[in-house]
Amino acid sequence: MHMKSTIQCESTNPAASAAQPSRAEAIAAVRTLIRWAGDDPDREGLLETPDRVIRAYAEYFSGYRQDPTEILAKTFSEVDGYDEMIVMNDIRFESHCEHHMAPIIGCVHIGYLPDRRVVGISKLARLVEIYARRLQIQEKMTVQIADTLAEVLQPNGVAVVVEAAHQCMTTRGVHKPGATLVTSRMLGAFRKDATTRREFLAIIGRNGSGMPAHA
């Protein structure tokens, strides 16, 4: 079962709710950053910028207010014994690097081998969105997606591959546009069985060496 996604993506995090600043404090912080950058937050073009920024942040980091296990709670067992690989690839996501708060833009490929139960395909995209909409590093997000899926569904195996461009290194620092980072996590049958792993990598267009299959 091979599902191609064109979706453009969105347990609550205890740290996110600890001593959360007020809206007024957040606006004041943005005004401070504008002044630090060398501009005047009171000039006409910037008057509404602090409010726009915090509204954007509420969207960027909405994942802190959502529980990924609840997203996967509803599963389906009437699958007529289907036990072959389920793959959903090219789930686009937008996240932010926790080191520079710069955008991370990429896609996630998810595969799992069901053990009697499957989850609605939109839930896989929502799972990605919840973890992406937090301050992240790609390696941690890869583990979070795979481990949550394994914990809730308890399938025979889970595979997650994440490919992304990090603007903390493409628009600043080393300035290497076009560079992408690829991370993966293989659990259960995908880790133990090389044939299963190769089948998944072939479906998502990779040859197992980290390079596209057509390279």
Side-chain angles (χ1 to χ4, degrees), residues 21-36 41-42 47 49-51 53-54:
S22 68
R23 182 182 181 86
E25 289 174 314
I27 287 176
V30 177
R31 288 176 57 85
T32 297
L33 285 173
I34 291 172
R35 289 198 303 272
W36 182 86
D42 290 320
L47 279 176
T49 296
D51 184 67
V53 169
I54 64 169

Side-chain angles (χ1 to χ4, degrees), residues 7 14 20 28 58 68 85 95 99 107 109 111 118 128 134 139 157 160 169-171 184 189 194 203 215:
I7 298 172
Q20 186 174 28
M85 190 183 303
S95 189
H99 299 142
C107 62
H109 315 288
V118 300
V128 170
R134 301 178 180 187
E139 297 86 344
V160 174
M169 69 168 287
T170 62
T171 62
S184 67
I203 288 173

Side-chain angles (χ1 to χ4, degrees), residues 190-208:
F190 291 95
R191 178 182 288 270
K192 298 174 184 176
D193 187 338
T195 301
T196 301
R197 185 166 58 252
R198 283 196 298 269
E199 180 184 351
F200 169 72
L201 293 172
I203 288 173
I204 68 170
R206 296 200 156 264
N207 61 15

Side-chain angles (χ1 to χ4, degrees), residues 40-51:
D40 177 8
D42 290 320
R43 72 174 175 84
E44 184 179 4
L46 292 173
L47 279 176
E48 297 182 28
T49 296
D51 184 67

Side-chain angles (χ1 to χ4, degrees), residues 103-115:
I104 304 171
I105 299 174
C107 62
V108 179
H109 315 288
I110 297 176
Y112 71 98
L113 283 166
D115 181 15

Side-chain angles (χ1 to χ4, degrees), residues 2-195:
H2 178 204
M3 301 174 183
K4 182 80 171 180
S5 167
T6 57
I7 298 172
Q8 295 192 10
C9 306
E10 352 196 64
S11 122
T12 53
N13 190 316
S17 59
Q20 186 174 28
S22 68
R23 182 182 181 86
E25 289 174 314
I27 287 176
V30 177
R31 288 176 57 85
T32 297
L33 285 173
I34 291 172
R35 289 198 303 272
W36 182 86
D39 214 321
D40 177 8
D42 290 320
R43 72 174 175 84
E44 184 179 4
L46 292 173
L47 279 176
E48 297 182 28
T49 296
D51 184 67
R52 293 191 187 103
V53 169
I54 64 169
R55 282 189 280 118
Y57 267 42
E59 181 179 345
Y60 295 156
F61 305 119
S62 60
Y64 288 116
R65 300 187 295 277
Q66 300 176 70
D67 184 344
T69 61
E70 288 184 2
I71 294 299
L72 299 176
K74 183 177 181 180
T75 59
F76 305 94
S77 58
E78 295 181 359
V79 292
D80 290 335
Y82 184 89
D83 59 2
E84 296 296 324
M85 190 183 303
I86 295 173
V87 177
M88 188 174 188
N89 65 356
D90 293 337
I91 307 171
R92 189 178 186 275
F93 75 90
E94 300 162 4
S95 189
H96 286 79
C97 162
E98 66 182 40
H99 299 142
H100 302 94
M101 298 182 76
I104 304 171
I105 299 174
C107 62
V108 179
H109 315 288
I110 297 176
Y112 71 98
L113 283 166
D115 181 15
R116 298 183 300 275
R117 304 192 70 82
V118 300
V119 69
I121 60 174
S122 67
K123 302 301 189 294
L124 297 177
R126 292 185 66 188
L127 176 65
V128 170
E129 182 124 326
I130 287 173
Y131 283 123
R133 290 184 180 273
R134 301 178 180 187
L135 290 170
Q136 277 290 11
I137 63 171
Q138 184 174 324
E139 297 86 344
K140 181 173 70 173
M141 190 177 86
T142 305
V143 170
Q144 289 172 328
I145 293 168
D147 287 6
T148 301
L149 195 58
E151 177 186 349
V152 177
L153 286 188
Q154 297 188 349
N156 291 318
V158 172
V160 174
V161 172
V162 181
E163 308 173 69
H166 294 240
Q167 292 193 24
C168 59
M169 69 168 287
T170 62
T171 62
R172 59 160 301 282
V174 295
H175 288 278
K176 297 297 180 185
T180 59
L181 179 67
V182 180
T183 52
S184 67
R185 184 158 176 84
M186 306 287 169
L187 301 174
F190 291 95
R191 178 182 288 270
K192 298 174 184 176
D193 187 338
T195 301

